[in-house]
Amino acid sequence: MPRPVRHVTETARLLSATNLHERISRRAPPGELKVLADTVDEMLDRIQQLVNAQQRFAANAAHELRTPLALQRAAAEIGLAGNPDARRVARIRTKLIETSEHQGHLIEGLLLLAASEQGMRRQEPVDLHEVAHAVVLAAGPEAADHDVTPHLDLRPLRTTGDPVLLERLAHNLVRNAIRHNHPGGSVTVRTGAGCLEVSNTGPVIPTRTVPLLFEPFRRIEERRHAPGEGVGLGLSIVAAIARVHSVTAEATANPEGRGLTIRGRFAADEPPDAESLR
C-alpha cells in the first residue's frame, strides 16, 4: 500500500535543477494518490517554467551587459590606437560616455526590476490621475523631441500602493509610448473606472508579439544602439509593479495594427462616476 507514496517521495527528493524535467507520471485509477501525483507534476511544471524564465533572463542580462563593455574596449583599443588627433579623441570620448550612460540605465533598470519583484515597501492612498498628469508634463520635452503630441483624458482614480513604484509604472508606460512612435504621432493617457490606459500611434505590431512585450529585453524593433534607446526592461518593470499591486496589466494592438494600447486595471478605492472610462 505505501509503495506509491514512497515513489512520490523518492522522486521529489531526487529532483534538482539538472533533472527538473522528470515527472512522477503515475498511471493509476482515479483516487487520492493519483490526485497527489498529478498535483506534484503540475507544481513541477510551474517550477520548471520559472527556472527556465530566470535562466533566459540571466543569459539576456549578461548579453546586454557584455555588449556595451565590448563597445567600450573596441573604442579604446582601436579608436585611440596610435597617435589620434583631437577630433578623434573627442569623438571616442563622446562614444564612451554614451555607452557608459547606457550601462547605467541598464543597471538602474535591473535594480528597479529586482526591487519591484520583492513587493511593496509601503502602502498609502495614491491619486493615479494626478500621477499620470505629472508624468506626462515631465515627459513633455522628450515628446517634443520625437514630434509626438500627448493627449490627456484624466478622471479621478485612487488606489492604495507604493507611490514610488506606481509613479514608475506610469512613467514607463508614457515613455515607452513616446519612444516607440513616429514623427507626428500621438500618445493618449486616460484614467478612470479603475483603469490607467496609455495608447500610442506607433508602428505595426503583430498580434502574436504583443504578449511577449512584457518579458525582459523584448523589443518591437531591432536594437540600433542609438542614443536614448531603451534597454528593453520598461514593460517588464511595469508587469512586475502590476503584480505586486494585484493589478491586471494587458496590452492590445490598436485597430489597423497602428500602435499599442496598454491598460492597468486597478482596484479603485472609490466607485467610478458615470462619466469615467468604459
Side-chain angles (χ1 to χ4, degrees), residues 6 17 115 134 186 270:
R6 287 200 300 269
S186 64
E270 299 173 351

Side-chain angles (χ1 to χ4, degrees), residues 98-141:
E98 290 176 354
T99 306
S100 177
E101 289 178 349
H102 178 82
Q103 284 181 293
H105 293 321
L106 175 57
I107 293 171
E108 288 176 4
L110 290 172
L111 291 173
L112 180 57
L113 180 58
S116 302
E117 294 285 5
Q118 291 176 0
M120 289 183 285
R121 296 182 180 180
R122 55 179 175 154
Q123 294 190 45
E124 58 186 68
V126 178
D127 292 319
L128 284 172
H129 56 287
E130 294 183 359
V131 171
H133 186 262
V135 165
V136 172
L137 286 181

Side-chain angles (χ1 to χ4, degrees), residues 151-208:
H151 299 284
L152 296 176
D153 182 7
L154 304 179
R155 302 180 186 277
L157 175 60
R158 169 172 282 199
T159 190
T160 300
D162 186 317
V164 175
L165 292 181
L166 290 174
E167 188 276 338
R168 175 57 60 170
L169 180 146
H171 169 85
N172 283 11
L173 288 177
V174 172
R175 192 176 188 186
N176 188 77
I178 292 172
R179 289 187 169 186
H180 298 286
N181 216 315
H182 58 79
S186 64
V187 171
T188 302
V189 181
R190 297 186 178 91
T191 60
C195 180
L196 167 64
E197 177 184 292
V198 179
S199 180
N200 76 342
T201 55
V204 175
I205 303 176
T207 303
R208 65 180 181 278

